[in-house]
Amino acid sequence: MGKGSNRFDTIILGAGAAGMMCAAYAGGRVLLVDQARAAGEKIRISGGGRCNFTNLYAGPENFISQNPHFVKSALSRYTQWDFIDLVSRHGIASHEKTLGQLFCDESAKQIIHMLVAEMGAAEVRLRTTVSAIQRIGDGFEVTLDTGEVLRSRNFVVACGGKSIPKMGASGLGYQIAGRFGLPVTPTRPALVPLTFGEMFKPLAGVALDARVSCGGVSFDEAVLFTHRGLSGPVILQISSYWREGMPITLNLWPAGDLLERLREQRQKSGRRDISTNLAEWLPKRLVTYLAALHGWQGNLADHSDAALAGIVQAITAWELHPTGTEGYRTAEVTLGGVDTDALSSKTMQAKDVEGLYFIGEVVDVTGWLGGFNFQWAWSSGWAAGVAI
Ligand code: FDA
């Protein structure tokens, strides 16, 4: 199959993280088709331009899926250490920012350049999409929006989810799954800020470390109050577990015994105003807001143990009812996707359609914030690539 012929061994829809990884390991003649103007656009903007490309502690427990066991095979066969090794072989310097999150020292573009180099002779067709695909014999006939009709033995769906439609997220992968009879679990925005109407407007810009819980799951990291509601890593994390109607609980004093500390302070400086005192330990605007909300006033000495416990309760177990999320417009990922029951966990191939593969975010596998989603793209892309 020479260049110029319309026959390929493998056509990959989506030249993003998973698609490029797959192309790097798939043998034969490979074509990537992507509607964007450049490959790996989400990698480019990820991690504030430095790409949090994996996590030192990545394991199956960091992923959400209807079948939590599905990720195990790919993650254990292509691990974070394999990707870290690849990155260092390309001379890309990186550092751990926090909680095992690895970032490029310089630029996310280095990861894109690395993947392009690893893809070798794979061909890439940009600003192009697939307008039809059908089974022909033991392969596929793929019609591009340019009108060209191509043939391939394998077809890999790597076009991501619905997050950030402005960047070309399309949901086409789910349509292709449906077209070949694969079920798709309900999708929703994840790793996304939560909205609360206007209630936090006075606190916009306030940030502090917190613990947030919802439905029995908790995360510790920074929370950020915004004009629209709550954001920051801890909120993005919990958003993947939140559902409409559920409350979340915000603990703004996640480490240490606040009641004990207040009692000691009452003993030492009982004449101090309660809010002035709290504002030495917590952001002043937040304390003013809470004091107005709960009517806190007076000196520490005016407060009984029970009254102090009430204040502690308000700070450490603030129950809040989000009105919604910011949606796909700002969501980093899409929860749900192609049902893993229909895929081989070893190869990502559709169990009932030989040669059809689904990898990356389009699959019902969603990682936590912190490099886990890219690790899934690398592991699942590799698994399909070596199987092809
Ligand atoms: P990805 O979205 O990377 O690629 C899909 C490709 O398919 C795109 O190139 C797109 O143009 C193309 N495509 C879509 N529809 C098409 C169509 N109809 N026709 C043709 N082409 C089509 N994760 C992480 O681990 N660490 C991080 O630091 C970040 N940071 C981050 C920041 C922001 C702002 C976002 C939005 C997301 C992240 N993520 C992240 C998540 C991460 O970007 C995401 O999980 C992976 O990119 C998913 O890889 P995929 O290859 O599956 O999809």
Side-chain angles (χ1 to χ4, degrees):
M1 278 177 287
K3 254 191 163 170
S5 118
N6 70 344
R7 285 180 181 273
F8 293 86
D9 293 296
T10 303
I11 295 177
I12 302 174
L13 175 64
M20 287 200 279
M21 191 69 179
C22 179
Y25 289 92
R29 190 174 179 214
V30 178
L31 174 72
L32 292 114
V33 177
D34 199 301
Q35 67 186 9
R37 60 180 176 81
E41 281 291 85
K42 267 196 192 160
I43 300 175
R44 187 176 58 79
I45 61 154
S46 68
R50 293 242 163 89
C51 185
N52 175 197
F53 56 81
T54 193
N55 193 294
L56 294 174
Y57 310 117
E61 62 283 2
N62 306 117
F63 295 86
I64 304 166
S65 171
Q66 265 187 13
N67 175 5
H69 302 292
F70 182 80
V71 295
K72 287 181 178 169
S73 172
L75 284 181
S76 66
R77 284 161 56 239
Y78 191 90
T79 67
Q80 58 271 43
W81 306 109
D82 293 314
F83 196 77
I84 292 165
D85 182 51
L86 181 65
V87 166
S88 60
R89 272 192 280 124
H90 280 260
I92 301 172
S94 63
H95 61 278
E96 180 187 351
K97 199 165 164 194
T98 173
L99 303 168
Q101 301 167 6
L102 291 191
F103 286 74
C104 298
D105 284 358
E106 286 172 30
S107 165
K109 286 185 198 155
Q110 294 174 292
I111 300 290
I112 303 175
H113 296 155
M114 175 189 84
L115 292 169
V116 169
E118 287 289 316
M119 287 188 333
E123 295 161 52
V124 184
R125 208 70 75 78
L126 295 170
R127 294 191 170 97
T128 307
T129 189
V130 164
S131 47
I133 167 167
Q134 56 176 324
R135 196 98 176 112
I136 300 274
D138 60 357
F140 299 90
E141 184 185 84
V142 179
T143 308
L144 303 183
D145 59 350
T146 55
E148 286 164 279
V149 180
L150 312 175
R151 288 283 180 88
S152 70
R153 200 156 37 80
N154 306 297
F155 189 82
V156 182
V157 180
C159 60
K162 297 181 184 170
S163 324
I164 324 263
K166 237 171 139 182
M167 291 190 71
S170 62
L172 180 58
Y174 310 124
Q175 288 167 32
I176 295 174
R179 155 100 181 67
F180 286 97
L182 279 80
V184 176
T185 68
T187 53
R188 57 180 286 124
L191 299 184
V192 63
L194 297 174
T195 53
F196 288 86
E198 307 239 303
M199 72 179 275
F200 290 133
K201 247 186 166 171
L203 293 178
V206 170
L208 71 162
D209 281 339
R211 176 173 304 143
V212 177
S213 314
C214 181
V217 180
S218 297
F219 290 97
D220 283 27
E221 253 193 289
V223 61
L224 170 69
F225 291 84
T226 72
H227 285 281
R228 288 183 295 273
L230 293 176
S231 187
V234 78
I235 295 297
L236 302 190
Q237 295 282 32
I238 210 70
S239 72
S240 300
Y241 294 87
W242 179 78
R243 296 293 178 275
E244 281 69 15
M246 285 167 85
I248 63 164
T249 307
L250 200 53
N251 177 352
L252 300 168
W253 191 273
D257 185 338
L258 180 59
L259 182 58
E260 202 40 48
R261 206 161 163 195
L262 279 168
R263 278 155 129 188
E264 279 169 22
Q265 196 68 3
R266 185 179 57 189
Q267 198 143 15
K268 272 198 288 182
S269 343
R271 293 217 179 142
R272 293 200 76 192
D273 175 76
I274 182 86
S275 295
T276 311
N277 193 84
L278 283 169
E280 278 176 15
W281 302 339
L282 289 164
K284 189 164 185 285
R285 263 199 290 153
L286 177 64
V287 173
T288 307
Y289 182 90
L290 288 171
L293 191 67
H294 299 288
W296 300 339
Q297 52 185 331
N299 295 336
L300 279 162
D302 301 334
H303 289 75
S304 64
D305 276 2
L308 288 184
I311 290 172
V312 170
Q313 168 81 7
I315 293 172
T316 59
W318 191 0
E319 193 173 289
L320 290 163
H321 291 265
T323 55
T325 77
E326 286 193 7
Y328 289 118
R329 189 179 59 81
T330 60
E332 284 201 9
V333 287
T334 304
L335 202 65
V338 177
D339 195 328
T340 56
D341 280 352
L343 304 176
S344 153
S345 62
K346 194 160 175 243
T347 64
M348 306 294 136
Q349 185 172 206
K351 286 178 182 164
D352 295 333
V353 190
E354 211 192 318
L356 181 64
Y357 296 78
F358 291 84
I359 56 174
E361 195 180 321
V362 73
V363 179
D364 170 30
V365 170
T366 307
W368 289 358
L369 187 80
F372 302 103
N373 284 295
F374 277 137
Q375 185 57 45
W376 172 245
W378 318 136
S379 296
S380 61
W382 175 90
V386 295
I388 280 169

